[in-house]
Amino acid sequence: MKTIYYNGQPDGVRIIRNRISPITCYVIPRPLLSQAMKISYITNPGIYYLINEDDDNKITQMYIGQTRNGVLRLIDHNRQKSFWNKAIMFLSSENVFSLDILSGLEVYSINKAISANRYKIENAVNPKFKIDEYDLPTIEQIYDDINFLMATNGYKLDEPKKETKNILHTSRRNVLAYGIYNGEKFQLLEGSEIDITNDINRESLNQKRKQMIDDIIVKKED
Protein backbone atom coordinates (compact mmCIF):
# COMPACT_ATOMS: atom_id res chain seq x y z
CA MET A 1 0.00 0.00 0.00
CA LYS A 2 1.38 3.40 -0.97
CA THR A 3 -0.14 6.78 -0.17
CA ILE A 4 0.91 9.92 -2.04
CA TYR A 5 0.06 13.24 -0.41
CA TYR A 6 -0.43 15.55 -3.37
CA ASN A 7 1.37 18.87 -2.79
CA GLY A 8 2.54 17.49 0.56
CA GLN A 9 -0.65 18.37 2.44
CA PRO A 10 -1.83 15.66 4.91
CA ASP A 11 -5.44 16.81 4.70
CA GLY A 12 -5.30 17.57 0.98
CA VAL A 13 -5.66 15.40 -2.10
CA ARG A 14 -4.40 11.84 -1.52
CA ILE A 15 -3.63 9.04 -3.95
CA ILE A 16 -3.68 5.49 -2.56
CA ARG A 17 -2.41 2.50 -4.48
CA ASN A 18 -2.46 -1.15 -3.54
CA ARG A 19 0.19 -2.99 -5.54
CA ILE A 20 -1.97 -6.10 -5.92
CA SER A 21 -5.10 -4.19 -6.99
CA PRO A 22 -5.84 -2.76 -10.47
CA ILE A 23 -7.64 0.28 -9.05
CA THR A 24 -6.28 3.54 -7.63
CA CYS A 25 -8.05 5.52 -4.91
CA TYR A 26 -8.19 9.32 -5.04
CA VAL A 27 -9.38 11.26 -1.98
CA ILE A 28 -10.40 14.75 -3.06
CA PRO A 29 -11.66 17.47 -0.67
CA ARG A 30 -14.19 19.56 -2.58
CA PRO A 31 -12.29 22.88 -2.27
CA LEU A 32 -9.27 21.20 -3.91
CA LEU A 33 -11.09 19.84 -6.95
CA SER A 34 -9.12 22.08 -9.32
CA GLN A 35 -5.83 20.66 -7.96
CA ALA A 36 -7.00 17.09 -8.53
CA MET A 37 -7.68 17.77 -12.20
CA LYS A 38 -3.93 18.05 -12.79
CA ILE A 39 -3.12 14.51 -11.60
CA SER A 40 -2.09 11.85 -14.13
CA TYR A 41 -4.76 9.26 -15.03
CA ILE A 42 -7.40 11.19 -13.07
CA THR A 43 -9.75 11.03 -16.08
CA ASN A 44 -9.81 7.21 -16.16
CA PRO A 45 -13.16 5.41 -15.73
CA GLY A 46 -14.37 4.19 -12.36
CA ILE A 47 -16.87 4.76 -9.58
CA TYR A 48 -16.94 7.43 -6.91
CA TYR A 49 -18.43 8.24 -3.54
CA LEU A 50 -19.52 11.78 -2.72
CA ILE A 51 -19.62 12.11 1.06
CA ASN A 52 -20.61 14.67 3.62
CA GLU A 53 -18.17 14.39 6.51
CA ASP A 54 -18.90 16.01 9.87
CA ASP A 55 -16.40 17.61 12.26
CA ASP A 56 -15.62 14.19 13.77
CA ASN A 57 -14.69 12.78 10.33
CA LYS A 58 -17.84 10.66 10.26
CA ILE A 59 -19.91 10.21 7.11
CA THR A 60 -23.47 11.54 7.41
CA GLN A 61 -24.50 11.45 3.73
CA MET A 62 -23.30 9.54 0.68
CA TYR A 63 -23.89 9.45 -3.06
CA ILE A 64 -22.48 6.73 -5.35
CA GLY A 65 -22.03 7.04 -9.09
CA GLN A 66 -19.99 5.91 -12.07
CA THR A 67 -17.79 7.99 -14.33
CA ARG A 68 -16.28 7.31 -17.74
CA ASN A 69 -14.18 10.47 -17.51
CA GLY A 70 -12.83 10.33 -13.98
CA VAL A 71 -12.69 13.63 -12.13
CA LEU A 72 -14.48 15.50 -14.94
CA ARG A 73 -17.75 14.00 -13.66
CA LEU A 74 -17.23 15.84 -10.37
CA ILE A 75 -17.42 19.20 -12.15
CA ASP A 76 -21.14 18.61 -12.75
CA HIS A 77 -21.67 17.58 -9.14
CA ASN A 78 -19.78 20.64 -7.95
CA ARG A 79 -22.46 22.77 -9.65
CA GLN A 80 -25.51 20.63 -8.95
CA LYS A 81 -25.06 18.92 -5.57
CA SER A 82 -24.47 20.97 -2.44
CA PHE A 83 -24.37 18.34 0.33
CA TRP A 84 -20.90 16.85 -0.23
CA ASN A 85 -17.52 18.06 1.01
CA LYS A 86 -15.27 15.22 -0.15
CA ALA A 87 -15.09 12.82 -3.10
CA ILE A 88 -13.43 9.40 -3.06
CA MET A 89 -12.81 7.97 -6.52
CA PHE A 90 -11.74 4.48 -7.57
CA LEU A 91 -10.35 4.59 -11.09
CA SER A 92 -8.56 2.21 -13.42
CA SER A 93 -7.99 1.60 -17.11
CA GLU A 94 -10.75 0.68 -19.53
CA ASN A 95 -9.27 -2.83 -19.64
CA VAL A 96 -10.56 -3.28 -16.08
CA PHE A 97 -13.67 -1.10 -16.19
CA SER A 98 -15.59 -2.16 -19.25
CA LEU A 99 -19.02 -0.55 -19.57
CA ASP A 100 -20.75 -3.65 -18.18
CA ILE A 101 -18.35 -3.94 -15.23
CA LEU A 102 -18.67 -0.23 -14.51
CA SER A 103 -22.48 -0.28 -14.55
CA GLY A 104 -22.60 -3.50 -12.56
CA LEU A 105 -20.20 -2.16 -9.95
CA GLU A 106 -22.28 0.99 -9.54
CA VAL A 107 -25.45 -1.05 -8.93
CA TYR A 108 -23.64 -3.46 -6.62
CA SER A 109 -22.12 -0.63 -4.55
CA ILE A 110 -25.42 1.24 -4.20
CA ASN A 111 -27.23 -1.91 -3.08
CA LYS A 112 -24.49 -2.64 -0.56
CA ALA A 113 -24.70 0.88 0.85
CA ILE A 114 -28.50 0.72 1.14
CA SER A 115 -28.49 -2.68 2.83
CA ALA A 116 -25.72 -1.65 5.24
CA ASN A 117 -27.92 1.20 6.50
CA ARG A 118 -24.92 3.07 7.91
CA TYR A 119 -25.42 6.39 6.14
CA LYS A 120 -28.10 8.44 4.44
CA ILE A 121 -27.83 7.50 0.74
CA GLU A 122 -28.53 10.41 -1.61
CA ASN A 123 -29.12 8.31 -4.74
CA ALA A 124 -32.69 9.16 -5.71
CA VAL A 125 -32.90 6.31 -8.22
CA ASN A 126 -31.33 2.87 -7.93
CA PRO A 127 -30.06 1.90 -11.42
CA LYS A 128 -31.97 -1.00 -12.99
CA PHE A 129 -28.89 -2.47 -14.67
CA LYS A 130 -28.85 -6.27 -14.34
CA ILE A 131 -25.46 -7.74 -13.42
CA ASP A 132 -24.38 -10.60 -15.67
CA GLU A 133 -23.59 -13.71 -13.64
CA TYR A 134 -20.26 -14.02 -15.47
CA ASP A 135 -19.29 -10.47 -14.44
CA LEU A 136 -20.34 -10.89 -10.81
CA PRO A 137 -17.08 -12.47 -9.51
CA THR A 138 -15.05 -9.60 -11.00
CA ILE A 139 -17.43 -7.01 -9.56
CA GLU A 140 -17.29 -8.63 -6.12
CA GLN A 141 -13.49 -8.66 -6.20
CA ILE A 142 -13.27 -5.00 -7.19
CA TYR A 143 -15.81 -4.08 -4.52
CA ASP A 144 -13.74 -5.92 -1.90
CA ASP A 145 -10.74 -3.80 -2.95
CA ILE A 146 -12.86 -0.65 -2.66
CA ASN A 147 -14.18 -1.72 0.73
CA PHE A 148 -10.61 -2.26 1.97
CA LEU A 149 -9.35 1.08 0.63
CA MET A 150 -12.31 2.91 2.16
CA ALA A 151 -11.51 1.27 5.49
CA THR A 152 -7.92 2.56 5.31
CA ASN A 153 -9.47 6.05 5.20
CA GLY A 154 -11.59 5.28 8.26
CA TYR A 155 -14.88 4.71 6.41
CA LYS A 156 -16.83 1.48 6.84
CA LEU A 157 -19.09 0.32 4.03
CA ASP A 158 -20.18 -3.06 5.35
CA GLU A 159 -23.13 -3.74 7.61
CA PRO A 160 -23.01 -2.57 11.21
CA LYS A 161 -22.09 -5.23 13.70
CA LYS A 162 -25.14 -6.89 15.18
CA GLU A 163 -25.87 -6.23 18.81
CA THR A 164 -24.98 -9.15 21.00
CA LYS A 165 -27.81 -10.70 22.98
CA ASN A 166 -25.56 -10.89 26.03
CA ILE A 167 -26.66 -8.13 28.36
CA LEU A 168 -23.91 -6.96 30.70
CA HIS A 169 -24.61 -5.58 34.14
CA THR A 170 -22.93 -3.99 37.13
CA SER A 171 -24.00 -3.65 40.73
CA ARG A 172 -21.23 -1.39 42.03
CA ARG A 173 -22.06 1.45 44.46
CA ASN A 174 -25.39 -0.16 45.31
CA VAL A 175 -26.86 0.55 41.86
CA LEU A 176 -27.94 -1.84 39.14
CA ALA A 177 -27.14 -0.95 35.52
CA TYR A 178 -27.48 -2.86 32.25
CA GLY A 179 -25.78 -2.40 28.90
CA ILE A 180 -25.01 -3.95 25.52
CA TYR A 181 -21.64 -3.85 23.72
CA ASN A 182 -21.91 -4.34 19.95
CA GLY A 183 -18.19 -4.37 19.11
CA GLU A 184 -18.08 -0.64 18.45
CA LYS A 185 -19.79 1.12 21.34
CA PHE A 186 -21.33 0.44 24.73
CA GLN A 187 -25.00 1.34 25.10
CA LEU A 188 -26.59 1.85 28.50
CA LEU A 189 -30.10 0.43 28.60
CA GLU A 190 -33.22 2.18 29.82
CA GLY A 191 -34.02 1.51 33.45
CA SER A 192 -30.39 1.44 34.60
CA GLU A 193 -29.49 3.22 37.82
CA ILE A 194 -26.64 5.68 38.33
CA ASP A 195 -25.04 7.04 41.49
CA ILE A 196 -25.36 10.84 41.77
CA THR A 197 -24.30 11.15 45.40
CA ASN A 198 -20.66 11.88 44.60
CA ASP A 199 -19.07 14.43 42.29
CA ILE A 200 -16.99 13.12 39.41
CA ASN A 201 -13.34 14.22 39.29
CA ARG A 202 -13.85 15.83 35.86
CA GLU A 203 -15.98 18.97 35.85
CA SER A 204 -17.06 18.39 32.24
CA LEU A 205 -18.65 15.09 33.25
CA ASN A 206 -20.40 16.71 36.19
CA GLN A 207 -21.85 19.29 33.80
CA LYS A 208 -22.90 16.56 31.37
CA ARG A 209 -24.63 14.63 34.16
CA LYS A 210 -26.44 17.79 35.30
CA GLN A 211 -27.58 18.46 31.73
CA MET A 212 -28.92 14.90 31.42
CA ILE A 213 -30.92 15.42 34.63
CA ASP A 214 -32.25 18.75 33.32
CA ASP A 215 -33.24 17.09 30.04
CA ILE A 216 -34.89 14.21 31.94
CA ILE A 217 -32.63 11.69 30.24
CA VAL A 218 -31.75 10.81 33.83
CA LYS A 219 -34.70 10.94 36.22
CA LYS A 220 -34.53 11.17 39.99
CA GLU A 221 -36.71 8.71 41.85
CA ASP A 222 -36.83 8.17 45.64
Side-chain angles (χ1 to χ4, degrees), residues 198-214:
N198 297 311
D199 284 341
I200 309 171
N201 291 332
R202 290 172 56 187
E203 181 59 27
S204 61
L205 294 181
N206 275 320
Q207 291 297 324
K208 184 174 183 179
R209 185 170 65 181
K210 180 180 183 303
Q211 187 64 51
M212 293 177 73
I213 294 174
D214 293 342

Side-chain angles (χ1 to χ4, degrees), residues 6-160:
Y6 193 69
N7 286 344
Q9 301 299 320
D11 57 350
V13 178
R14 300 195 303 278
I15 307 166
I16 305 170
R17 290 179 179 147
N18 185 346
R19 295 180 64 183
I20 61 174
S21 173
I23 60 177
T24 300
C25 174
Y26 301 85
V27 181
I28 307 170
R30 186 172 184 171
L32 304 180
L33 181 57
S34 59
Q35 287 187 18
M37 295 178 65
K38 303 174 185 177
I39 299 174
S40 300
Y41 309 111
I42 196 69
T43 56
N44 280 358
I47 73 162
Y48 59 88
Y49 292 75
L50 301 181
I51 65 173
N52 181 38
E53 195 176 54
D54 63 19
D55 293 338
D56 295 322
N57 301 117
K58 303 295 184 182
I59 295 176
T60 59
Q61 295 166 274
M62 175 184 290
Y63 176 89
I64 304 166
Q66 64 164 287
T67 173
R68 302 180 196 178
N69 302 300
V71 75
L72 299 181
R73 182 72 179 98
L74 299 187
I75 297 175
D76 293 333
H77 290 315
N78 195 37
R79 291 192 297 260
Q80 299 171 3
K81 297 185 184 298
S82 60
F83 77 89
W84 64 285
N85 53 29
K86 182 179 289 184
I88 305 176
M89 309 192 77
F90 299 90
L91 309 179
S92 188
S93 66
E94 292 183 359
N95 292 333
V96 174
F97 284 134
S98 66
L99 184 56
D100 285 344
I101 293 293
L102 196 58
S103 299
L105 184 60
E106 179 189 26
V107 171
Y108 190 86
S109 301
I110 292 173
N111 287 334
K112 280 285 190 180
I114 292 173
S115 64
N117 198 30
R118 276 188 176 272
Y119 317 111
K120 179 183 178 182
I121 305 302
E122 295 293 335
N123 293 77
V125 178
N126 193 349
K128 301 302 181 184
F129 182 84
K130 185 176 180 180
I131 300 174
D132 191 295
E133 61 182 356
Y134 297 104
D135 291 334
L136 183 59
T138 300
I139 290 169
E140 290 176 332
Q141 180 59 56
I142 295 173
Y143 179 82
D144 285 345
D145 290 344
I146 290 172
N147 197 13
F148 179 77
L149 287 167
M150 286 288 276
T152 66
N153 287 283
Y155 309 125
K156 292 186 177 181
L157 297 179
D158 53 355
E159 294 186 28

